[in-house]
Amino acid sequence: MEDKRKIFFDRHAENWDCHLTHHNLARVVEEAEIEKGAIICDVGTGTGVLVPLLHRKVGKKGKIIAIDYSSEMIKKAKEKYGKLPVEFIVADIHRTDFPDNYFDYVICNACFPHFENKKMALKEIYRILKKEGIIVISHPTGKEFVNKLHKETGGCIKRDRVPPGIVLARTLKEFKFTPLKVIDEPEFYLVSAVKS
Ligand SMILES: C[S@@+](CC[C@H](N)C(=O)[O-])C[C@H]1O[C@@H](n2cnc3c(N)ncnc32)[C@H](O)[C@@H]1O
């Protein structure tokens, strides 16, 4: 059965950027501690807001693959950043075609609460990360803002919630990750963990 959220994101892709705030995006990239030359998967890239920042960080020797299950979002991201050396792929993080142990970082910025099956998505992220690879789950506006927005927006996203940082860190441990950072401030949220 198709995830109703995908239709929601397809429908909103055209005007998505009108509602976006770029608040704290640079901090996401800083706190992720991305190294030059890294291979990164930007999950749920949307219109690609993180792409130029990630590109600057990894440099010419790095590689960025930006995925989204909404083909309309990927279309928008390509319109904006198609000239950068970045691969844009329509793909669902629950089941991808990437090889095992491929990425140094998998970044889920402002998309984790929307994953229909968190267990399946986390298992897939674990599979595609290299050993010592890092998962980053971030919300640059903080969890309260996001949770309120989803509730007020209603429809298929009304119950999509960002959990408290310590709860997410515990969940990541259950999936064999070792938590690195838990930042759960009123206006910034980032949890990272390493595949051990
Ligand atoms: C709130 S937007 C955030 C977009 C972007 N990361 C940003 O920070 O602006 C969430 C995005 O996640 C995507 N998404 C949700 N579930 C997904 C999944 N299972 N696989 C891939 N993309 C997904 C949606 O299509 C949407 O573009």
Side-chain angles (χ1 to χ4, degrees), residues 8-64:
F8 171 89
F9 287 114
D10 269 340
R11 231 180 247 153
H12 288 85
E14 184 59 35
N15 295 315
W16 190 259
D17 282 358
C18 307
H19 310 291
L20 269 189
T21 143
H22 284 200
H23 183 67
N24 276 339
L25 278 178
R27 185 169 172 200
V28 168
V29 177
E30 280 312 310
E31 299 283 5
E33 294 185 21
I34 292 161
E35 289 174 7
K36 274 223 172 322
I39 307 179
I40 302 186
C41 184
D42 178 22
V43 178
T45 190
T47 60
V49 289
L50 268 189
V51 163
L53 286 88
L54 294 174
H55 172 63
R56 232 170 287 145
K57 201 82 191 165
V58 296
K60 282 188 187 143
K61 289 192 177 144
K63 180 170 179 167
I64 298 163

Side-chain angles (χ1 to χ4, degrees), residues 67-86:
I67 73 166
D68 202 295
Y69 69 175
S70 158
S71 54
E72 293 300 317
M73 286 289 191
I74 287 291
K75 200 169 123 192
K76 275 306 230 191
K78 274 186 183 166
E79 274 171 29
K80 287 165 64 186
Y81 302 117
K83 285 195 176 135
L84 290 179
V86 172

Side-chain angles (χ1 to χ4, degrees), residues 96-127:
T96 71
D97 291 333
F98 300 120
D100 293 353
N101 310 314
Y102 186 70
F103 291 101
D104 296 299
Y105 298 84
V106 172
I107 303 201
C108 306
N109 187 60
C111 59
F112 184 76
H114 302 305
F115 299 162
E116 174 77 8
N117 184 331
K118 309 276 188 297
K119 285 185 182 176
M120 203 172 156
L122 287 174
K123 276 188 184 168
E124 181 63 358
I125 292 171
Y126 191 89
R127 183 187 72 75

